[in-house]
Amino acid sequence: MRTEDTAMDGHDLRHHGDAEVRDDGSALVDLAVNVRADTPPEWLRSRVAASLTGLAAYPDGRAARAAVAARHGLPVERVLLTAGAAEAFVLLARALKVRRPVVVHPQFTEPEAALRDAGHTVGRVLLRERDGFRLDPAAVPEDADLVVLGNPTNPTSVLHPAAVIARLARPGRTVVVDEAFLDAVPGEREALAGRTDVPGLVVLRSLTKTWGLAGLRIGYVLADPETIAVLERAQPLWPVSTPALAAAEACMGPRALAEAAHAAHRAAADRAHLVAGLAEFAPDGLRVVEPAEGPFVLIALPGAVAVRRHLRDLGFAVRRGDTFPGLGKDWLRLAVRDRSTVNSFLQALDRAVTLAQH
């Protein structure tokens, strides 16, 4: 684990998994995007569709905001609805007065991109494979007044203990925890959403991943009322659309929470099946970052660039890893899919590895 100040270092921070399945990749089996397959469910599509009759009115987010607050046991003053978690990163970068922001990598690259775009010089704490990509709070510089990390972390699938993250808190420091995939963890273990005892804590949640709403753009911020007020002032008027508000309210209900919990257990079983299959490739030098806790796994594989190319020819899209600071060209991220899809992928991977070795 080490800390570095960054300049333009060759990592494409704006590259995301959807680039793998656009244009000529649209017909591929998608293991590149971490959105739950076969979503949104019909009941959620119906709720969104029903909201279309109210499009003549300006969006009113009060009911959705109250639903999010109730789901996490918080007052509404601690909740801000956003056009996806990505908007929240931009708001944080532009609205907070910070001098020494630090991003813990490898992780989702949008937070650093947003900070750079806002004119900040960004420090990095690079987690290491030999440490299991696990966080040591002591590695974060004491003078960092903004620290950003994911939990579970994209792309490593590492779930950091909440107690370890809480140790990052300092007077005058904001700790931003991206929990976009936390509802995909059975029991939401190590969640910090809803906690009010950690000074400077800001938690981001997304409804994109579990509910398949990437095209709708809906997420939210949980923080102290003063931080929420600062971020809200930086938002444009009516930042979240009426259909997105309807989705947010629906996804906070008992039925949705029960379905999400069931999906998390199913994803864990499917992930275990994928990891077991990947173990068969150990003689080829494949390594899996374990224990994986998110709906995706990170692997290292010699010749991954060629393997990824052959996988595309065989009908499968996977996420390249070299755009994540701290990772190189031999890393790939694989979204967890159902067992049938995984079995087909493993067969394709076997063929792709063989082709890459010849």
Side-chain angles (χ1 to χ4, degrees):
M1 187 182 304
R2 65 186 173 91
T3 305
E4 64 175 28
D5 289 313
T6 62
M8 296 306 291
D9 57 4
H11 292 288
D12 182 0
L13 300 181
R14 295 296 191 188
H15 180 91
H16 301 297
D18 62 315
E20 311 280 357
V21 290
R22 290 199 299 258
D23 302 326
D24 63 337
S26 59
L28 301 177
V29 177
D30 179 9
L31 276 75
V33 176
N34 291 328
V35 172
R36 182 176 138 214
D38 301 320
T39 50
E42 192 282 329
W43 63 264
L44 181 53
R45 293 198 303 271
S46 296
R47 287 286 295 273
V48 172
S51 74
L52 300 181
T53 60
L55 292 185
Y58 286 96
D60 182 348
R62 289 177 296 177
R65 189 178 185 183
V68 171
R71 183 255 199 266
H72 292 289
L74 296 171
V76 293
E77 293 80 14
R78 284 182 167 267
V79 176
L80 182 68
L81 303 176
T82 58
E87 187 205 5
F89 291 124
V90 173
L91 294 175
L92 290 162
R94 294 179 179 176
L96 297 187
K97 306 301 182 185
V98 297
R99 297 169 289 97
R100 182 78 162 91
V102 169
V103 178
V104 179
H105 285 289
Q107 78 145 329
F108 183 50
T109 52
E110 203 60 32
E112 180 173 322
L115 285 163
R116 286 188 182 187
D117 288 347
H120 296 286
T121 299
V122 184
R124 290 177 181 166
V125 173
L126 298 179
L127 308 186
R128 301 293 196 178
E129 180 187 8
R130 64 173 175 263
D131 301 320
F133 293 108
R134 299 202 165 274
L135 173 68
D136 177 2
V140 176
E142 278 295 321
D143 64 344
D145 55 359
L146 175 70
V147 182
V148 186
L149 72 158
N151 204 41
T153 306
N154 169 23
T156 64
S157 209
V158 168
L159 183 66
H160 302 289
V164 171
I165 296 174
R167 284 165 51 196
L168 292 171
R170 300 283 190 283
R173 173 185 287 178
T174 299
V175 179
V176 178
V177 185
D178 177 8
E179 291 190 349
F181 296 99
L182 212 292
D183 62 350
V185 175
E188 297 200 2
R189 297 183 351 266
E190 311 303 342
L192 285 160
R195 293 273 296 270
T196 60
D197 61 323
V198 181
L201 176 67
V202 176
V203 175
L204 309 184
R205 285 283 180 115
S206 170
L207 301 181
T208 294
K209 322 302 181 186
T210 289
W211 298 112
L213 297 174
L216 200 60
R217 311 309 307 141
I218 178 63
Y220 54 90
V221 182
L222 307 175
D224 63 83
E226 293 77 13
T227 299
I228 292 296
V230 169
L231 298 179
E232 190 169 17
R233 284 195 295 271
Q235 278 187 313
L237 289 172
W238 312 292
V240 180
S241 70
T242 295
L245 293 172
E249 187 175 358
C251 290
M252 297 301 112
R255 174 180 182 172
L257 295 180
E259 182 174 321
H262 176 73
H265 285 283
R266 186 172 65 245
D270 290 339
R271 183 183 61 240
H273 180 66
L274 172 60
V275 170
L278 292 170
E280 301 298 320
F281 294 87
D284 300 297
L286 187 150
R287 306 187 305 279
V288 181
V289 176
E290 294 188 84
E293 300 282 2
F296 47 87
V297 298
L298 182 66
I299 66 171
L301 178 64
V305 173
V307 170
R308 177 172 159 267
R309 184 176 67 250
H310 290 306
L311 282 170
R312 291 184 72 86
D313 293 338
L314 294 166
F316 290 85
V318 299
R319 171 69 157 89
R320 57 188 279 206
D322 62 331
T323 63
F324 294 101
L327 301 182
K329 59 184 177 59
D330 285 343
W331 292 93
L332 299 171
R333 190 193 70 197
L334 313 174
V336 172
R337 299 293 185 239
D338 63 271
R339 289 192 174 211
S340 176
T341 302
V342 166
N343 290 340
S344 297
F345 166 73
L346 292 170
Q347 291 177 346
L349 180 61
D350 186 41
R351 178 63 176 156
V353 169
T354 300
L355 290 170
Q357 291 173 344
H358 293 84

